[in-house]
Amino acid sequence: PSNELLVDAITARQQIAQETASTTSHSLILVIAILVGALIITLIIGNSLTSPLRALTHTAEKITQGELTAEARVQGRDEIGKLALAINTMTSSLRDTIKNLEQKVEERTSDLLRKSLRLQASAKIAHDAAEFQDIQILIKQTVDLISNRFSFYHTGIFLLDESGEHAVLMAASSEGGTKMLARGYQLEVGIQGIVGVAANQNRT
């Protein structure tokens, strides 16, 4: 009978069909696993590449907002690491430049303030000179004004005597200067102290 003759062939065909279905399912599972693994690896690699760039972008945004203390994290010596190092160097240079500018502005402001105080003191002295006829009163007003306006511990005014050989202390604002004034303190022009040299050279 044909059924008995084809039993082996039918069995073999059934086994081949089963093996084919099994192989197909295994291949499909393997392909899916490979695709999932490739996707995961791609995400990991992409994140490792873009994460430093996002950090650099975040740091750059802080710097543009005026936060000059922000620093980029240097990771490796690749192009991203070089870019982070360049950003840090630029930020450091900006900090130094701003610090120098602030120092210069402060120095110029202080200089302008001193000049303004001098001008005010000069104007006050000129005004008092027009009001007071007594030279002693004018000199005393001058030393007091200079001491108060410039917060000096001691201010003194020397005038040359008739011979021009001595600078005589005529007025003083401090207690020690008052004692020197009472003793008739004087200096030889061109010889004694800064006052004597300045009087000899006609310098202030």
Side-chain angles (χ1 to χ4, degrees):
S2 59
N3 292 335
E4 293 180 359
L5 293 175
L6 296 177
V7 168
D8 292 337
I10 293 172
T11 302
R13 185 169 57 188
Q14 290 176 348
Q15 290 178 349
I16 292 173
Q18 290 177 355
E19 292 292 335
T20 302
S22 177
T23 302
T24 302
S25 62
H26 289 164
S27 300
L28 182 61
I29 293 173
L30 181 61
V31 169
I32 293 174
I34 292 174
L35 290 176
V36 171
L39 179 61
I40 293 174
I41 294 174
T42 301
L43 291 176
I44 293 174
I45 295 175
N47 185 62
S48 64
L49 293 176
T50 59
S51 180
L53 292 176
R54 288 197 301 268
L56 287 178
T57 303
H58 184 63
T59 303
E61 290 175 351
K62 287 184 177 180
I63 294 173
T64 56
Q65 293 172 0
E67 188 177 340
L68 297 181
T69 57
E71 290 188 358
R73 184 178 179 183
V74 180
Q75 297 178 344
R77 297 183 178 181
D78 55 1
E79 297 300 326
I80 296 178
K82 293 179 180 179
L83 179 59
L85 184 60
I87 290 176
N88 291 338
T89 303
M90 178 193 68
T91 307
S92 178
S93 298
L94 284 175
R95 286 198 300 266
D96 293 340
T97 301
I98 292 175
K99 184 178 180 179
N100 292 333
L101 288 175
E102 289 176 347
Q103 184 177 358
K104 289 181 179 179
V105 169
E106 184 178 354
E107 291 175 355
R108 293 191 178 184
T109 302
S110 179
D111 185 53
L112 288 175
L113 180 59
R114 287 194 299 269
K115 290 181 179 179
S116 177
L117 290 175
R118 290 175 184 174
L119 290 174
Q120 292 177 10
S122 300
K124 178 64 175 176
I125 293 170
H127 179 269
D128 291 345
E131 289 186 352
F132 296 106
Q133 299 297 325
D134 190 342
I135 187 65
Q136 294 297 331
I137 297 177
L138 176 60
I139 291 176
K140 179 58 178 172
Q141 291 282 340
T142 300
V143 295
D144 291 339
L145 178 64
I146 292 174
S147 294
N148 294 331
R149 290 294 177 89
F150 296 102
S151 298
F152 289 160
Y153 167 73
H154 170 77
T155 303
I157 292 180
F158 289 81
L159 295 179
L160 297 179
D161 59 8
E162 294 181 358
S163 65
E165 297 180 354
H166 295 86
V168 183
L169 181 63
M170 302 300 296
S173 61
S174 66
E175 182 179 353
T178 303
K179 293 179 180 179
M180 295 167 62
L181 184 63
R183 297 197 306 266
Y185 184 75
Q186 62 182 14
L187 297 170
E188 292 187 31
V189 174
I191 298 178
Q192 288 184 285
I194 297 176
V195 176
V197 175
N200 183 49
Q201 298 178 359
N202 194 24
R203 297 173 59 188
T204 57

